[in-house]
Amino acid sequence: MDDFMNDAYNDLFTTTQCPSQQELMDYVQGKLSPEKQHEVELHLSDCELCSEAVEGLSAFEKKEIIPVYLRQMKWQMLRKLKSRKQKKDQIASHTQLAIICIIILFMLLAAFWAYHFVTHPGK
Ligand SMILES: [Zn+2]
């Protein structure tokens, strides 16, 4: 009978007394004692108002994490940009090599033509 009374009292307690916003904040951050955490949990299952408040607060909590996430994104982007730049440099050096090869080929061709005109004049 005492247990029943206790439960009834607890039910009354959880449905009528809403935790303060600070308590809800502490609950979201896991700062409450296990007993208090459980108490708030019980209350949340009964009280739509507070469970919504906790949802809002945990969304706020996630926002605190966003700067770290953004920093990671920025870092990844910088890394991507860097690797792309390295690729560009590689392409540039390949182009330079191709141009040098073409110049050498033209010089060889010019030398061959000059040799041809010297050895076969008039033809
Ligand atoms: Zn409540």
Side-chain angles (χ1 to χ4, degrees):
M1 196 61 185
D2 269 342
D3 274 2
F4 172 75
M5 282 297 282
N6 242 344
D7 281 355
Y9 175 76
N10 274 338
D11 280 345
L12 198 74
F13 182 77
T14 52
T15 44
T16 52
Q17 191 142 338
C18 287
S20 68
Q21 185 158 339
Q22 187 54 51
E23 274 177 320
L24 288 178
M25 195 70 187
D26 288 347
Y27 168 78
V28 167
Q29 293 178 326
K31 283 180 184 170
L32 294 173
S33 64
E35 293 92 1
K36 190 78 190 164
Q37 194 92 4
H38 184 68
E39 201 177 286
V40 173
E41 231 160 67
L42 268 173
H43 177 80
L44 289 179
S45 61
D46 282 342
C47 181
E48 209 175 311
L49 198 80
C50 285
S51 65
E52 258 174 48
V54 161
E55 248 173 65
L57 285 172
S58 47
F60 176 74
E61 274 300 290
K62 275 174 197 134
K63 267 184 209 150
E64 302 280 296
I65 302 163
I66 285 172
V68 180
Y69 179 68
L70 277 178
R71 214 177 301 150
Q72 273 179 341
M73 285 274 290
K74 208 171 155 190
W75 186 73
Q76 276 176 338
M77 232 162 74
L78 275 170
R79 218 167 64 148
K80 236 182 228 175
L81 273 171
K82 212 176 164 189
S83 69
R84 203 180 292 166
K85 196 175 174 283
Q86 275 174 347
K87 226 178 188 176
K88 231 183 197 173
D89 286 350
Q90 239 174 13
I91 290 166
S93 70
H94 276 299
T95 313
Q96 258 180 345
L97 204 76
I99 288 169
I100 288 165
C101 281
I102 288 166
I103 288 169
I104 289 168
L105 256 159
F106 268 102
M107 276 167 79
L108 280 170
L109 206 70
F112 176 77
W113 269 54
Y115 177 77
H116 183 85
F117 276 115
V118 166
T119 51
H120 300 90
K123 267 198 175 176

